[in-house]
Amino acid sequence: MSTPVSATHPVRCIRCRRALRRPSEDGYGPKCRRRVRRATKAPELGQYKPHLVERAVELLEQGAVIPLRKSLKNPVYLVVSSDGSSAYRTARAACNCPAGLKAVHVCKHRIAAHALELAN
């Protein structure tokens, strides 16, 4: 998922949009990576099923969660599916993945969005 560095278009952090000196596989800069990892261990995520939290952490480590709309009230993210064949629009309140549409349990995409909101 890394992008080659060019003189005209520097690689940017997918969370804060700062230019990165050394691009990483997950797309985060060092400070944002620390914040996201700290947020994945937050007690607020204890309300979700542990196996879904683990899968959400995997999505965050792979850089599969991309902010689409940054707002204080309801940020929206684009989350790539596990197999990489599709992407879902996700917010903390809703997701358009099959599990999110059934709404029996909170899906891993919504948990990843919650973790990113905790990282702010």
Side-chain angles (χ1 to χ4, degrees), residues 15-16 29-41 115-116 118-120:
R15 186 178 161 275
C16 68
K31 290 181 183 178
C32 290
R33 186 177 304 109
R34 273 192 301 267
R35 283 183 153 189
V36 169
R37 285 186 180 159
R38 193 176 314 127
T40 59
K41 296 176 178 113
L116 273 182
L118 292 173
N120 287 334

Side-chain angles (χ1 to χ4, degrees), residues 36-50 52-54 56-57 60 92 110-118:
V36 169
R37 285 186 180 159
R38 193 176 314 127
T40 59
K41 296 176 178 113
E44 289 90 348
L45 297 182
Q47 64 184 333
Y48 304 118
K49 293 188 172 193
L52 290 175
V53 173
E54 289 175 17
V57 170
L60 291 169
R92 187 172 169 196
R110 286 177 57 190
I111 297 171
H114 188 183
L116 273 182
E117 287 180 25
L118 292 173

Side-chain angles (χ1 to χ4, degrees), residues 3-42:
T3 310
V5 180
S6 68
T8 58
H9 299 288
V11 177
R12 298 192 174 276
C13 174
I14 61 175
R15 186 178 161 275
C16 68
R17 305 299 302 153
R18 288 186 180 167
L20 298 176
R21 289 185 208 155
R22 285 182 262 152
S24 62
E25 292 296 320
D26 60 3
Y28 296 113
K31 290 181 183 178
C32 290
R33 186 177 304 109
R34 273 192 301 267
R35 283 183 153 189
V36 169
R37 285 186 180 159
R38 193 176 314 127
T40 59
K41 296 176 178 113

Side-chain angles (χ1 to χ4, degrees), residues 53-72:
V53 173
E54 289 175 17
R55 294 179 84 190
V57 170
E58 287 177 14
L59 286 174
L60 291 169
E61 288 176 354
Q62 294 171 353
V65 183
I66 304 161
L68 279 181
R69 182 183 72 197
K70 254 189 156 172
S71 70
L72 295 176

